Structures are given as structure tokens and as C-alpha cells.
């Protein structure tokens, strides 16, 4: 973990007018001791002085949804679609959603109806069939007795790597249990994989008919957390000379509602509000981007400009406005955060090549993109383009706080594990002696008795260690344990974070606590043979 940051609160930044001037970080905590849950953690060195443009996803990045209301809304809508549109039993309408049950990083086995948590080597460590925990023997029989390692990828598996997927994962587990316990109510021909496909179809129906977006638009505060730090953060980045952009899969009408809520519309004369005031904090906004396909430069997706007032789509020639009939303006001119008039252009669709051209980006390493979805935001932008990346992991705030709280417990677990290893080494030595060394009858009897005592001691140590380790993991989550760990190994989710995110943190606003010119450096890597030699 990065050490707590202590630096000066003032630094020189180059404003959007090109003039260097002193600027103050947008957070009052900037440059002071930063709480561990709000720190930014670094996997790969990143010098912010080399970053010319900072981009953001919207949903679950700038906008943090309330799972107890938003995900429940999506869950209830999906259930209704399953019953009324896809013919599932009406009993489903009585179901409820436990929004705390599922976590990110899980893998759904569509064919078998199992939910899996695995380590970075893709070994299944925790597995449930529906809501029924699978035994060690069942896990080994199902996933450990094959000549060729399973990749655990589509089409037989579904990856739960975004917070939007938690409700459908929970619903899938409910359907698996329902089918097993009520075989007469779900046709035999409808297997687990078909049920998952139906859940996905129902989710898509909910999004297509606009019900979810309408409910959020009517009362954003019920479904989205207020965050007064978003505007100061965007101002700080722009005052430091960076370009800012938004790339979201949401369409313009919904994006405008959400961003208006986050940035609070400017009140004009007569108590009227400016519905597009938030656009002044961005240089380019791209809605309906269809990520991750957006990140493929060879994509042929068309780029349309959005007329904010009407939502009308205007043709462009690779981002260049095409002549329009009449007086429709292809872009809206707003007051910039530095007081100057700046054109903020809104688009729909397109590809990353269009974005590079619009921002005049010459090298992909000059872009930092902040998102919440490993596959939709981070993997493609990092692996295909070489953009610098920051992953938002809201669960991290609580995770690191618990890690700090349980640091003595975790030390004790290591000692208990070492004790197990020492006892097992003694057992192996005694067994070897009894098998291959010529011992007298008295010595043989003594060694046999000692072996029995050691085996009993080993069994007791193993049970104590396993119970203590399970209790420690249940502090993080009763069912799935620590987000970033499975036993002593990093979880598959943690492995993906390490591979594809240059930086990761709990909230996007944590950027405001650091200098916009900060040089992020990772901690030193250690291999197992170094731990007992070098200070860690």
C-alpha cells in the first residue's frame, strides 16, 4: 500500500488559458494525511505530468448508485418481465432481493447452476449450487478432475465484474433453487443455462422500455448518492491544464439527468435552471458509446453529434460538423470553468479514433481513463490502446478499513499456518524413519507413539487454522469472504485489477486529494524467496 501522502497543498498548474498560476487542490484533505480508505493505490508507475486528458465513465464511476434502491428497482423490474413477458411462475413476484449477498469477481456456471469464487490461478475455492454450499469433494469432482484446465469464460460461464450484475446473479441463484425444489413448475427442457439467458433477456427488456431510467429521472436522489466533490475535482483538473472527457454507454437524455444531479444546475434569472451547465466541465462528451467495442480503432461505428436541446442526432464527418439545413447549431457554447467561452461538444457512438482526433491526442499514453468495469472500461482501454487506467472499486473503502482492523488476526493466522507446516514436516520425517531405517522394537514403538501424537496435534492445528481463517474471511463477507483474496491467494478479481489497472481506488473523488501533477509509484514486488531475507 502506498504510504499516507504528505505534501504541500499548493502547486503550480497551467490553466486552460495557458497561464501558469498557483492552484489549490479541490479537497480540503489534499496534501494532508489521507485516510486509508480514500487513498489511491498504484500497480504501475504513472506520472500525471505526462497526462494531457482525463476521461471518466459515468455509471458507478462519477455516479455512485444506491444498491438498496437502484439495484432493487432493477431486480423488481426484471422479475416482472420474467413473469409477464417470458411466462415464469407467478410465485416469483413474491421474491425479494438481498443486495448484500453477491459480490463482484464471482463466476456463474450457467450449465450447472453454480456460483464460483476462484483464485488468480483459476482454482475454485468457494462454490455454491444456487444457495447451497458445495463440499470440497464436490468442487474437486466438478472442477478439479479434468485433463485440460477450464478457462471459465463465455459461453458456458458469465463473469460478475460490474455492480450492475449483482442483481441478476442473485436472481440466477434463486431460479436454480426454485427449479431444484419445484421440478414441476419449471419445464425439464428449461435448464440452468436457459434460465440465465432468460434473466439476461428480461434485464435488457427493462433497460429498453425506459422504465428504470424514468424512475431515476423522477427522483435521482433516491437512487444516486450525492457527491459535492465531483465539480471541484473537474475544475481542478481543468485548471491544471488537462482536457476532460466523458465516455458512457448511457444515452444523452439519461446522461443529462444524472450529470445535472451530480453537478447541480446553475440557477438563472426567474428561478430557471440551466440543464446543460455541467457541460462546461468537459471538452468532449460521448454518449451511447457501446463500450467495450468503442475501444477498437478498426470499428466502423458512425459518430453523430447530439443537439442538446432537442436530443437530435446530427451527421458528422469523423467529428467534423456537416452542413445542416436551417440554423441548427452543431455544438453548444458554454462558459468554461476558467471563465472563457469553450465549445463542449456532445456526441453519440463513434470509436476511440474519433475521440483521439477530437482531443488532438497524439499518444494513447497521454490519456488517463477512470472507470468501474474491468472488461468494459479498463481491460480494453489498457490492453488494446495502452491508455493509462484507474479502476473505481467502491467496496475497497470497507475492505482496507477491515484489513487494518484485523492486522493482528492476520499475523496470528500466519503463525498458525507455520505451526501446521512444522508439525507436518516432523510427521514426514518420522514416517520416513519408520519405513526405511532399521529401528529397534523400543525405538520403533516410541516413534509410532510420537507419530500418533503428532498426527493428532496436526489435525487439531488444521481445524483451528481453518476455523480461524474462515472467521477472518467472514468479517469481510459472510458467504464470499474478502473481495481481493481467496484463502492465501489473490482472487481472480484482484488478479485482473493488478493486471489492467494502473491505479485503483474506492471513489473517483479521491483524485482530488492528490496533486494533479503527482508521480504515482508502486511498492516493490517481492517473490516468496525474498520474504524471509528482505524487510517487507
Amino acid at each position: 500500500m502506498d504510504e499516507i501522502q504528505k505534501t504541500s497543498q499548493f502547486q503550480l498548474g497551467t490553466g486552460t488559458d495557458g497561464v501558469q498560476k498557483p492552484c489549490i487542490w479541490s479537497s480540503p484533505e489534499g496534501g494532508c494525511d489521507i485516510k486509508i480508505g480514500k487513498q489511491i493505490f498504484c500497480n504501475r508507475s504513472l506520472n500525471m505530468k505526462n497526462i494531457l486528458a482525463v476521461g471518466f465513465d459515468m455509471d458507478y464511476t462519477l455516479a455512485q448508485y444506491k444498491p438498496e434502491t437502484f439495484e432493487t428497482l432493477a431486480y423488481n423490474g426484471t422479475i416482472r418481465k420474467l413473469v409477464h413477458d417470458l411466462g415464469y411462475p407467478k410465485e416469483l413476484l413474491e421474491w425479494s432481493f438481498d443486495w448484500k449477498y453477491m459480490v463482484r469477481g464471482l463466476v456463474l456456471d450457467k450449465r450447472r447452476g453454480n456460483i464460483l469464487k476462484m483464485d488468480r490461478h483459476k482454482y475454485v475455492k468457494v462454490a455454491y449450487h444456487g444457495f447451497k454450499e458445495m463440499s470440497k469433494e464436490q468442487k474437486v469432482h466438478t472442477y478439479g478432475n479434468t485433463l485440460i484446465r477450464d478457462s471459465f469464460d463465455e459461453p458456458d460461464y458469465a463473469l460478475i465484474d460490474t455492480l450492475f450484475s449483482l442483481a441478476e446473479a442473485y436472481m440466477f441463484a434463486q431460479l436454480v433453487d426454485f427449479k431444484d425444489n419445484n421440478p414441476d413448475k419449471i419445464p425439464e427442457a428449461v435448464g440452468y443455462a436457459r434460465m440465465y439467458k432468460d434473466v439476461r433477456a428480461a434485464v435488457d427488456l427493462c433497460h429498453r422500455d425506459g422504465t428504470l431510467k424514468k424512475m431515476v429521472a423522477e427522483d435521482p436522489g433516491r437512487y444516486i448518492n450525492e457527491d459535492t466533490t465531483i465539480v471541484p475535482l473537474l475544475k481542478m483538473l481543468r485548471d491544471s491544464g488537462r482536457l476532460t472527457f466523458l465516455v458512457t454507454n448511457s444515452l444523452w437524455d439519461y446522461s443529462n439527468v444524472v450529470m445535472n444531479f451530480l453537478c447541480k444546475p446553475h440557477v438563472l434569472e426567474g428561478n430557471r435552471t440551466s440543464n446543460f451547465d455541467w457541460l462546461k466541465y468537459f471538452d468532449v462528451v460521448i454518449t451511447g458509446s457501446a463500450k467495450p467495442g468503442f475501444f477498437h480503432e478498426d470499428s466502423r461505428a458512425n459518430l453523430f453529434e447530439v443537439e442538446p436541446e432537442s436530443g437530435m442526432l446530427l451527421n458528422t464527418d469523423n467529428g467534423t460538423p456537416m452542413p445542416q439545413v436551417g440554423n441548427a447549431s452543431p455544438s453548444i457554447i458554454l462558459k468554461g470553468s476558467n471563465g472563457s467561452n469553450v465549445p463542449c461538444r456532445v456526441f453519440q457512438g463513434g470509436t476511440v479514433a474519433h475521440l483521439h482526433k477530437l482531443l488532438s491526442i497524439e499518444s494513447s499514453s497521454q490519456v488517463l481513463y477512470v472507470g468501474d468495469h474491468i472488461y468494459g472500461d479498463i481491460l480494453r482501454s489498457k490492453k488494446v490502446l495502452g491508455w493509462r487506467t484507474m479502476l473505481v472499486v467502491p467496496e475497497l473503502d470497507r475492505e482496507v478499513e477491515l484489513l487494518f482492523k484485523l492486522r493482528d488476526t492476520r499475523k496470528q493466522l500466519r503463525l498458525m499456518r507455520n505451526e501446521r507446516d512444522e508439525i507436518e514436516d516432523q510427521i514426514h520425517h518420522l514416517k520416513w524413519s519408520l519405513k526405511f531405517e532399521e529401528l529397534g522394537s523400543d525405538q520403533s514403538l516410541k516413534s509410532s507413539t510420537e507419530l500418533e501424537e503428532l498426527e493428532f496435534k496436526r489435525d487439531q492445528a488444521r481445524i483451528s487454522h481453518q476455523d480461524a481463517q474462515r472467521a477472518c474471511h467472514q468479517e469481510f463477507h459472510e458467504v464470499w469472504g474478502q473481495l481481493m483474496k481467496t484463502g492465501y491467494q489473490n482472487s481472480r478479481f484482484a488478479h485482473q485489477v493488478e493486471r489492467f489497472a494502473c491505479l485503483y481506488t474506492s471513489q473517483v473523488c479521491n483524485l482530488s486529494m492528490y496533486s494533479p501533477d503527482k508521480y504515482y509509484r508502486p511498492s516493490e514486488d517481492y517473490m516468496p524467496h525474498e520474504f524471509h531475507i528482505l524487510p517487507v
Side-chain angles (χ1 to χ4, degrees), residues 58-59 63 65 212-221 224 250-265 275-276 278:
M58 184 180 75
D59 299 310
Y65 292 89
L212 294 181
K213 293 179 180 178
K214 182 180 178 183
M215 295 290 287
V216 174
E218 288 177 353
D219 188 6
I224 304 173
S250 294
L251 297 177
W252 164 247
D253 57 343
Y254 183 70
S255 300
N256 190 41
V257 168
V258 173
M259 293 306 298
N260 257 306
F261 172 74
L262 291 175
C263 297
K264 301 304 177 190
N275 292 328
F276 314 120
W278 64 271

Side-chain angles (χ1 to χ4, degrees), residues 179-191:
K179 177 178 172 62
D180 292 347
N181 297 325
N182 303 276
D184 56 321
K185 295 186 178 180
I186 299 286
E188 188 175 346
V190 178

Side-chain angles (χ1 to χ4, degrees), residues 439-449:
L439 303 175
S441 57
D442 289 345
Q443 182 63 37
S444 178
L445 180 62
K446 182 180 178 181
S447 296
S448 296
T449 302

